[in-house]
Amino acid sequence: ILRETFKKLPPEMIETNFQVRGKVVEFALILPNGKRLPIDSKWVAGKLILALERETDQQKKKEIIEEVEKEVMRRIKEVKQYIDPDLTWSQAIAAVPDSVYAVCKNAHLKAREENVILMPYSMVLPLLLYIYRFHLQYAISLDLESLQNHLIAIAKNLEEMENILENKIYRGATMVSNAYLEYKQLISRIKSSIEEIKLKGSKEVKKLK
């Protein structure tokens, strides 16, 4: 479906079979700064949609919707792997059939947490045009954008480190409690530094507008 949609765009705006981290994503929007916005539109659970359309029992329809959303969640995790601070924008797009998008309740929040934009097929073209125009009009320098993307990745890693401290080290070994507290303080300082850099970066972006 999207292949036909993208024929409406200039060839230099869309790349097919874009490779990132050893994986291939169907499409990518080529942004003005040379980076790519990964776009995945594969949907393999067509039988679930057909079953949902035919089902009349409300309880069974609810069960099918739950299965549909589980499949969407799985797709979101897969699409997240296409994000690379050196090659791509800080987000990726997971496009799904309009009928799938309409029944999702929790997947939108999950997508946001994973820096994935979940959207129906019918909205892909308008959004891509908006994103491209936005980048063209308010272009951020390549170095600054790369910095912002890496800061996002660092912040996520710090969250994982903190979870490990909470769930494994602190609970499993009281003898390292002092090290635990020091570690927590260091993480807090790093997070504060990251927020300061992001804030300064945002101010620089505003100056460019």
Side-chain angles (χ1 to χ4, degrees):
I1 295 177
L2 290 189
R3 192 174 298 277
E4 291 299 316
T5 299
F6 291 153
K7 288 182 179 180
K8 300 175 183 178
L9 297 175
E12 61 271 18
M13 285 183 64
I14 293 292
E15 181 174 345
T16 57
N17 298 322
F18 173 60
Q19 294 191 15
V20 55
R21 292 183 173 179
K23 300 180 182 296
V24 178
V25 60
E26 289 177 288
F27 308 102
L29 176 67
I30 304 174
L31 298 170
N33 62 4
K35 288 196 172 185
R36 270 53 170 174
L37 170 59
I39 307 164
D40 185 278
S41 66
K42 295 189 298 293
W43 180 255
V44 297
K47 291 182 179 179
L48 287 175
I49 299 302
L50 291 175
L52 182 61
E53 292 174 351
R54 295 170 181 170
E55 187 58 62
T56 56
D57 182 88
Q58 291 302 313
Q59 181 57 36
K60 290 183 178 179
K61 288 187 74 169
K62 183 179 179 181
E63 293 173 359
I64 295 173
I65 289 174
E66 290 176 354
E67 289 300 315
V68 169
E69 192 141 37
K70 285 180 182 179
E71 178 62 23
V72 173
M73 296 285 197
R74 189 185 69 79
R75 299 294 305 124
I76 289 170
K77 289 182 179 180
E78 184 174 329
V79 173
K80 177 188 176 183
Q81 300 177 52
Y82 300 135
I83 300 174
D84 184 330
D86 293 324
L87 301 175
T88 71
W89 195 34
S90 58
Q91 294 178 300
I93 289 176
V96 297
D98 288 46
S99 55
V100 171
Y101 185 86
V103 299
C104 287
K105 296 180 179 179
N106 302 311
H108 304 86
L109 180 59
K110 178 64 176 178
R112 181 181 177 184
E113 292 173 352
E114 301 291 358
N115 288 322
V116 173
I117 304 172
L118 181 66
M119 67 173 57
Y121 288 157
S122 61
M123 288 299 297
V124 171
L125 186 58
L127 182 70
L128 290 189
L129 291 173
Y130 172 79
I131 290 175
Y132 189 87
R133 183 175 180 180
F134 179 84
H135 273 260
L136 196 61
Q137 188 172 359
Y138 303 106
I140 304 172
S141 70
L142 182 60
D143 290 340
L144 180 56
E145 185 172 359
S146 294
L147 175 61
Q148 294 281 7
N149 289 337
H150 282 296
L151 286 175
I152 291 173
I154 290 171
K156 283 193 172 184
N157 288 330
L158 286 172
E159 289 291 342
E160 292 180 10
M161 290 169 61
E162 194 167 21
N163 288 334
I164 291 173
L165 284 173
E166 291 285 357
N167 299 319
K168 295 182 180 179
I169 297 178
Y170 184 64
R171 295 180 182 177
T174 55
M175 62 183 299
V176 294
S177 60
N178 289 336
Y180 164 82
L181 294 175
E182 292 176 8
Y183 204 128
K184 289 274 288 184
Q185 290 175 356
L186 286 171
I187 290 177
S188 179
R189 291 172 188 169
I190 294 172
K191 284 183 175 180
S192 296
S193 297
I194 289 175
E195 289 303 318
E196 285 293 326
I197 295 173
K198 289 170 69 176
L199 181 61
K200 290 179 181 178
S202 297
K203 290 180 179 178
E204 290 298 322
V205 172
K206 289 180 180 178
K207 291 179 182 178
L208 294 174
K209 294 183 179 180

